[in-house]
Amino acid sequence: MNLSEVKSAEIKNLDILAKQVVEGFITGIHKSPFHGFSVEFSEHKLYNKGESTRHIDWKLFAKTEKLYTKKYEEETNLRCHIIIDNSASMHYPVVKKQTIDNLNKVGFSAIAAASLMEILKRQRDAVGLSIYSDTYEYYAPEKGSDRHRNMLLHQLEQLLVSESKASTETYKYLHEIAEKIHRRSLIFVFTDMFQPNKENDALFEALKHLKFNKHEVVLFHTYDGETEFNFNFDNSPKKFVDVETGEEVNVYAENVQEKYKELVGDYFKDLKNKCLQYKIDYIPVDIHKGYNEVLTSYLISRKKNK
């Protein structure tokens, strides 16, 4: 079964889905001109004429029409920690049954994290996981074993079926997480950057704390492009409710759409500039655009950390 065949099916096995996402991604970059990425996979290297053909990956040859041999490196190359915001705003939009093409923000983050873990597994990199809302819900340190990875997958699967009404103080939990990660790591943060109770300066101070031990931090600003950026709603009167503060406002979408997009665009630019200031990689990810940008960010970050 390929990825397109499971688009309308309920997500029941996150491990299999992550493998499908990664296989599609790998096939794409092997067919692309970006060979600098494709050869970064520690389990493959380009076949050189005269080498033994015993370890050629013929399955990959059938997909790419290029010869790659399998490598068998046992070392762990990198430590990675994935952080996911599980507050109420991350459960937008409301989805009764999550499928690969019908996800809320936390569901997208869970699948993206599982896909990153699949690549990390292939690279023999260690991975840890933190989940927070109005509490520090889950923490696991960076390890590389299959048992550990399966435990993390179970936690991610719970996010796909969970609900949340919790507000959050992201800055508070990022400080806590920073205290737990002692060895230099690549840190991925999935959050919608919704901070109802604090200025963004406090959040960026916490992100700066994450970099304290020479960690590299990648911020995946997770959002619904259709409604949260483009404000695409029909022009009937609507009541918009802040899921974390309960604040309500009645509005015709068409009357405010242009100004809304201008303000949100400025906000995204401000976030990007602040991340540049703090030397944090800022990646806005629309939950409707797939996972290639997330996985490509890993490869770029991995190259910088080798």
Side-chain angles (χ1 to χ4, degrees):
M1 183 183 291
N2 59 40
L3 188 58
S4 63
E5 292 174 317
V6 298
K7 280 192 172 183
S8 60
E10 186 175 3
I11 299 166
K12 294 182 178 179
N13 191 315
L14 191 53
D15 187 25
I16 292 175
L17 179 56
K19 284 183 171 69
Q20 291 170 333
V21 169
V22 171
E23 284 297 328
F25 173 70
I26 293 173
T27 299
I29 60 173
H30 277 309
K31 288 182 177 179
S32 80
F34 300 108
H35 298 298
F37 288 155
S38 63
V39 298
E40 284 300 309
F41 285 92
S42 62
E43 65 175 14
H44 289 99
K45 68 181 182 71
L46 280 167
Y47 171 76
N48 293 315
K49 188 175 180 180
E51 290 181 340
S52 170
T53 59
R54 195 174 87 177
H55 297 304
I56 287 177
D57 188 333
W58 296 108
K59 185 177 178 181
L60 187 57
F61 174 75
K63 293 179 180 179
T64 66
E65 297 184 355
K66 294 182 176 67
L67 292 174
Y68 291 88
T69 57
K70 294 180 180 179
K71 294 168 66 179
Y72 298 94
E73 299 175 2
E74 295 302 328
E75 63 183 289
T76 294
N77 300 300
L78 185 73
R79 301 170 67 84
C80 178
H81 198 89
I82 299 171
I83 303 171
I84 299 178
D85 176 356
N86 189 33
S87 59
S89 63
M90 287 289 285
H91 288 253
Y92 178 85
V94 176
V95 178
K96 291 183 179 179
K97 184 182 76 170
Q98 299 217 59
T99 65
I100 188 64
D101 63 348
N102 188 26
L103 295 163
N104 58 26
K105 288 180 283 187
V106 81
F108 174 91
S109 300
I111 295 173
S115 301
L116 284 169
M117 284 164 50
E118 174 64 22
I119 284 191
L120 288 160
K121 174 187 174 183
R122 297 177 185 217
Q123 297 292 88
R124 296 176 177 86
D125 293 337
V127 62
L129 176 67
S130 288
I131 300 170
Y132 69 90
S133 57
D134 56 353
T135 62
Y136 194 165
E137 296 180 4
Y138 183 78
Y139 167 76
E142 302 80 31
K143 296 181 181 178
S145 70
D146 286 341
R147 181 179 178 184
H148 178 76
R149 180 174 167 276
N150 289 336
M151 181 177 70
L152 302 191
L153 282 170
H154 174 73
Q155 291 297 322
L156 295 175
E157 285 174 342
Q158 298 307 301
L159 291 179
L160 290 166
V161 296
S162 67
E163 296 180 0
S164 176
K165 295 183 179 179
S167 61
T168 190
E169 295 176 329
T170 293
Y171 72 97
K172 174 181 177 181
Y173 298 107
L174 292 186
H175 280 302
E176 286 192 33
I177 293 166
E179 293 293 333
K180 287 181 174 288
I181 306 173
H182 301 296
R183 295 178 61 184
R184 185 170 179 240
S185 301
L186 172 59
I187 299 175
F188 292 121
V189 184
F190 289 89
T191 177
D192 57 6
M193 297 296 290
F194 187 81
Q195 277 290 107
N197 299 320
K198 274 280 181 178
E199 295 295 325
N200 278 330
D201 287 346
L203 177 55
F204 278 96
E205 281 301 313
L207 289 166
K208 187 178 178 181
H209 188 186
L210 279 177
K211 290 183 66 71
F212 180 72
N213 285 330
K214 298 185 179 179
H215 304 308
E216 179 169 352
V217 179
V218 180
L219 175 62
F220 291 120
H221 180 194
T222 310
Y223 68 100
D224 182 326
E226 277 296 300
T227 57
E228 291 185 314
F229 190 88
N230 293 318
F231 210 63
N232 281 336
F233 296 95
D234 63 71
N235 200 36
S236 58
K238 293 189 183 304
K239 178 188 289 186
F240 293 88
V241 181
D242 187 317
V243 294
E244 296 198 11
T245 67
E247 185 178 350
E248 299 179 0
V249 60
N250 295 301
V251 70
Y252 282 89
E254 191 176 81
N255 293 346
V256 299
Q257 186 179 36
E258 185 176 344
K259 186 62 177 179
Y260 174 90
K261 288 179 67 174
E262 179 185 337
L263 291 172
V264 171
D266 289 343
Y267 176 59
F268 275 49
K269 289 177 185 176
D270 185 53
L271 289 176
K272 181 178 180 180
N273 289 334
K274 283 190 174 180
C275 284
L276 284 171
Q277 177 186 341
Y278 286 95
K279 297 183 179 179
I280 294 165
D281 290 337
Y282 172 71
I283 314 292
V285 284
D286 183 345
I287 63 173
H288 301 293
K289 297 290 181 65
Y291 304 95
N292 282 6
E293 195 159 20
V294 172
L295 299 178
T296 300
S297 297
Y298 160 74
L299 292 182
I300 293 171
S301 299
R302 194 176 195 280
K303 281 189 100 173
K304 288 193 289 188
N305 279 271
K306 285 189 72 174

